[in-house]
Amino acid sequence: EPGAIVKVAPDVKINIEDGAVLNAQGSADSPIVFTSLTDDSTGGDTNLDGSGSAPEPGDWLGLEAFGSGQLNTNEFVEISYAQIAHGGTVSQDEDWTGTCIHHVVEEVMVPDGVTLTVEPGAAVKFDDALGITVQSGGQLVAKGEVAQTISFTSVRDDFYGGDTENDALTREPLAGDWGGIKFESTLNEMSTLLDNVLIRYGG
């Protein structure tokens, strides 16, 4: 319901199974927040440890729909400190928040008329050979800040966003791990902003 705060324990995921529906429709006056159990800034000190813990991007494993499962949200839903899986065509303007780890598990396409915005502080991590393709007329805006850079890197890169694969540092990142960011526009058509961005281990 609007106004709900959902706080999730570390390394836990919310699964929407085949045939199930999760409706989260917030409002401007009553947004819905999904966040880490350690996030005292929303809903107070839920784990009752005072200042003993602080939230980090990737604390919990996000929401995922399987099969015909549906996750219905709107612009008044905030997801913080999660690891979020991305892939496929971005169907409408979308923001990738700076408080989350963004794990690309399938090639991402930004089509004509759609803007993908990556916010300051975000870590975007790619599985092998995957990347982002910005088609003609699409926009990729990744405007970091000096104190909050944006990183595009390999899923094996534990320096940014921690051990996303949970493999205890057994795989080191290498140049060419992921496929890179591709722009299909001509220079005059391109409407893209990359600023204070780190690109590591791409192809």
Side-chain angles (χ1 to χ4, degrees):
E1 297 290 339
I5 298 171
V6 181
K7 305 182 80 167
V8 187
D11 300 320
V12 171
K13 178 188 286 188
I14 298 174
N15 293 326
I16 301 101
E17 300 291 352
D18 189 20
V21 179
L22 192 159
N23 284 314
Q25 302 289 315
S27 66
D29 294 333
S30 298
I32 296 169
V33 178
F34 293 87
T35 190
S36 168
L37 181 65
T38 61
D39 181 6
D40 296 347
S41 68
T42 303
D45 183 15
T46 307
N47 60 354
L48 302 177
D49 69 345
S51 59
S53 60
E56 295 285 344
D59 271 355
W60 60 288
L61 302 183
L63 303 97
E64 185 172 359
F66 295 89
S68 63
Q70 297 179 45
L71 171 60
N72 298 327
T73 63
N74 62 11
E75 67 270 30
F76 303 113
V77 174
E78 177 184 338
I79 299 175
S80 297
Y81 303 109
Q83 177 179 307
I84 302 174
H86 299 282
T89 300
V90 181
S91 60
Q92 59 186 4
D93 291 353
E94 193 168 297
D95 289 350
W96 292 5
T97 62
T99 59
C100 291
I101 304 299
H102 301 276
H103 183 192
V104 176
V105 298
E106 179 186 349
E107 188 78 14
V108 171
M109 306 290 292
V110 183
D112 181 22
V114 172
T115 299
L116 172 59
T117 302
V118 183
E119 296 183 357
V124 183
K125 306 182 75 170
F126 296 82
D127 281 351
D128 292 353
L130 299 180
I132 296 174
T133 298
V134 183
Q135 297 179 331
S136 181
Q139 294 182 321
L140 172 63
V141 178
K143 187 177 181 182
E145 300 171 356
V146 172
Q148 286 188 298
T149 56
I150 294 168
S151 57
F152 294 92
T153 189
S154 167
V155 72
R156 302 176 187 177
D157 183 0
D158 297 337
F159 187 81
Y160 289 96
D163 185 8
T164 306
E165 292 185 304
N166 196 28
D167 62 357
L169 310 178
T170 58
R171 296 206 305 167
E172 293 294 325
L174 297 171
D177 270 355
W178 58 283
I181 301 172
K182 309 176 185 98
F183 302 100
E184 295 183 347
S185 304
T186 67
L187 185 60
N188 289 334
E189 293 174 324
M190 192 183 302
S191 182
T192 298
L193 177 59
L194 303 177
D195 193 17
N196 288 307
V197 167
L198 298 172
I199 299 178
R200 293 159 54 93
Y201 304 110

